[in-house]
């Protein structure tokens, strides 16, 4: 069922998705046998890597955890023992260039703060590794482009970690919208809000995050409006609300925005670091609606349709699904639907949203 939905999505999204071609090396081609797995090094060993990505790698069909990159020496022994990693596959951020001599590592998954993605992507690409990078791709369009250019120069693939693009409920939503099963989609309401927690974390420091709620969780809602419509917004208008100006002195706390699409569809979106419990999207068409609530959690995704037809699929590990798809793209020498260009497009739109907040005017894209 998941594979069927994935094929629907791949067919429908092809025209709207940008992807950078790459040349596969002989070493990678040798690993293309049915029982081969590509080695993945995790760059950054924070909570996401520890609790989600590393466990997901144990479930993948085409990947395996083959290395780590960390600035915390105290974590090394724990990770080496837990995942049976050799000493030669442990790196610091300053020694990533040595990966060039390690054929066990094919892909570097960058899981560091947003503003460090460029540095670590360039280092991985220069070492001859493909790069899979957490969202947002970076904190500006210019820095995203530098990442894309570095991977192209190294003939390596760059992917953006949009896990929802490989989740069955989201894929079915894309199918319903693109095939106009309920008629053309006219309105999309989407939002994601969390209580971000401590005031001393990198997410509320502009130098590392590049922005607040919009960059961190709002990007899920933004992505949903784009992959449901299959279009790019042409006009955005946004406002910001800040109830805690001390904690959120450097970044946005709550952002609401509207977006207009070429087909005439309109989106109404919210992102918040203060108001939790916002976690859904609803697409309203001429003959009904469908929704996911929750839509963006790591698990427990649920769907509903106004016509009573089921919108229910088995739960999957989205991190395993996205990694397997990226590995297949590398092995099969085909572009990924979550390319660096795809990641850069969201950063471009978020930049326009921030411009609208600053100027108080609608911004054309």
């Amino acid at each position: 069922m998941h594979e069927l939905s994935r094929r629907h999505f791949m067919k429908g999204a092809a025209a709207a998705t940008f992807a950078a071609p790459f040349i596969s090396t002989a070493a990678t081609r040798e690993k293309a046998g049915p029982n081969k797995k590509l080695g993945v090094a995790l760059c950054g060993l924070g909570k996401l890597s520890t609790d989600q990505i590393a466990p997901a790698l144990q479930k993948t069909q085409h990947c395996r955890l083959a290395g780590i990159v960390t600035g915390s020496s105290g974590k090394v022994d724990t990770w080496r023992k837990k995942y049976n990693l050799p000493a030669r596959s442990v790196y610091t951020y300053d020694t990533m260039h040595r990966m060039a001599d390690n054929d066990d590592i094919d892909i570097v998954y960058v899981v560091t703060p947003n503003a460090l993605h460029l540095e670590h992507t360039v280092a991985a690409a220069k070492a001859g590794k493909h790069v899979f990078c957490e969202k947002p791709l970076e904190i500006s369009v210019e820095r995203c482009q530098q990442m894309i250019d570095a991977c192209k120069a190294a003939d390596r693939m760059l992917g953006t970690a949009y896990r929802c693009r490989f989740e069955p409920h989201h894929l079915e939503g894309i199918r319903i919208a693109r095939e106009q099963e309920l008629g053309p989609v006219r309105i999309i309401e989407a939002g994601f809000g969390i209580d971000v927690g401590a005031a001393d974390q990198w997410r509320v420091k502009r130098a590392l995050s590049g922005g607040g709620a919009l960059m961190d969780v709002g990007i899920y809602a933004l992505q949903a409006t784009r992959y449901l419509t299959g279009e790019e917004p042409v006009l955005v208008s946004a406002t910001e609300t800040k109830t805690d100006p001390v904690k959120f002195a450097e970044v946005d706390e709550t952002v609401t925005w509207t977006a207009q699409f070429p087909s005439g569809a309109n989106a109404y979106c919210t992102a918040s670091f203060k108001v939790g419990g916002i976690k859904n999207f609803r697409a309203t068409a001429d003959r009904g609606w469908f929704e996911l609530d929750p839509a963006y959690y790591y698990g427990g995704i649920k769907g509903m349709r106004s016509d009573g037809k089921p919108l229910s699929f088995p739960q999957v590990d989205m991190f395993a699904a996205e990694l397997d798809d990226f590995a297949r793209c590398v092995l099969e020498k085909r572009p990924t639907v979550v390319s660096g260009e795809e990641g850069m497009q969201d950063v471009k739109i978020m930049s326009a949203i921030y411009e609208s907040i600053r100027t108080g005017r609608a911004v054309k894209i």
Side-chain angles (χ1 to χ4, degrees), residues 71-353:
S72 302
S73 58
K75 296 180 179 180
V76 172
D77 285 345
T78 300
W79 277 76
R80 283 194 61 199
K81 290 176 182 177
K82 185 171 183 178
Y83 294 108
N84 194 29
L85 296 171
R88 69 186 185 90
S89 293
V90 176
Y91 302 89
T92 67
Y93 300 118
D94 294 327
T95 62
M96 290 180 66
H97 61 280
R98 296 179 184 172
M99 287 185 185
D101 300 321
N102 191 341
D103 290 338
D104 286 342
I105 296 173
D106 303 284
I107 299 167
V108 175
Y109 191 156
V110 177
V111 202
T112 49
N114 305 340
L116 302 180
H117 290 177
L118 170 60
E119 173 188 345
H120 299 146
T121 292
V122 170
K126 286 185 175 180
K129 309 305 177 183
H130 302 284
V131 180
F132 199 61
C133 184
E134 265 304 315
K135 56 79 200 163
L137 191 63
E138 246 286 354
I139 63 172
S140 72
V141 172
E142 293 74 21
R143 292 174 69 85
C144 289
Q145 187 65 59
Q146 290 178 57
M147 293 169 67
I148 293 168
D149 292 344
C151 289
K152 285 184 177 179
D155 291 327
R156 299 293 82 191
M157 178 178 286
L158 173 61
T160 313
Y162 289 132
R163 56 186 171 79
C164 293
R165 298 287 287 266
F166 306 96
E167 196 283 326
H169 297 80
H170 285 261
L171 293 172
E172 177 66 359
I174 292 168
R175 186 197 67 78
I176 295 169
R178 300 291 185 86
E179 296 182 4
Q180 298 189 9
E181 190 169 302
L182 298 173
V185 171
R186 304 298 187 185
I187 297 173
I188 298 174
E189 300 163 278
F192 198 3
I194 62 172
D195 181 345
V196 74
D200 59 351
Q201 62 179 293
W202 67 265
R203 286 178 177 81
V204 295
K205 307 298 181 184
R206 180 171 293 278
L208 288 174
S209 65
L214 177 62
M215 296 284 279
D216 193 70
V217 292
I219 193 170
Y220 288 96
L222 173 58
Q223 262 277 302
T225 66
R226 294 181 57 231
Y227 57 65
L228 289 173
T229 62
E231 298 180 331
E232 302 299 342
V234 293
L235 186 73
V236 295
S237 181
T239 59
E240 179 190 357
T241 302
K242 190 169 293 191
T243 63
D244 191 339
V246 176
K247 181 175 180 178
F248 299 105
E250 298 182 20
V251 299
D252 44 291
E253 175 189 314
T254 299
V255 172
T256 59
W257 75 95
T258 60
Q260 296 178 15
F261 292 84
S263 64
N266 288 277
Y268 303 89
C269 303
T270 303
S272 182
F273 267 172
K274 187 74 170 181
V275 183
I278 308 169
K279 58 190 186 305
N280 71 308
F281 75 68
R282 174 179 284 204
T284 302
D286 286 352
R287 298 190 300 274
W289 53 263
F290 63 91
E291 69 176 7
L292 298 186
D293 190 1
Y296 316 110
Y297 289 171
Y298 297 147
I301 309 302
K302 294 181 180 179
M304 183 178 295
R305 295 172 49 139
S306 59
D307 58 9
K309 293 182 179 179
L311 181 46
S312 179
F313 294 86
Q315 299 296 313
V316 302
D317 187 314
M318 286 178 263
F319 293 95
E322 67 177 355
L323 281 162
D324 265 339
D325 187 84
F326 189 70
R328 284 194 295 269
C329 289
V330 171
L331 291 168
E332 297 168 11
K333 296 176 287 184
R334 60 176 171 82
T336 169
V337 299
V338 291
S339 65
E341 286 86 350
E342 174 73 1
M344 183 169 66
Q345 180 65 10
D346 279 333
V347 176
K348 177 181 178 181
I349 298 166
M350 289 190 293
S351 297
I353 292 171

Side-chain angles (χ1 to χ4, degrees), residues 30-48:
E30 289 173 359
K31 298 187 178 187
N35 298 319
K36 298 294 184 178
K37 292 189 173 186
L38 298 186
V40 176
L42 292 182
C43 179
L45 303 182
K47 186 176 177 62
L48 188 64

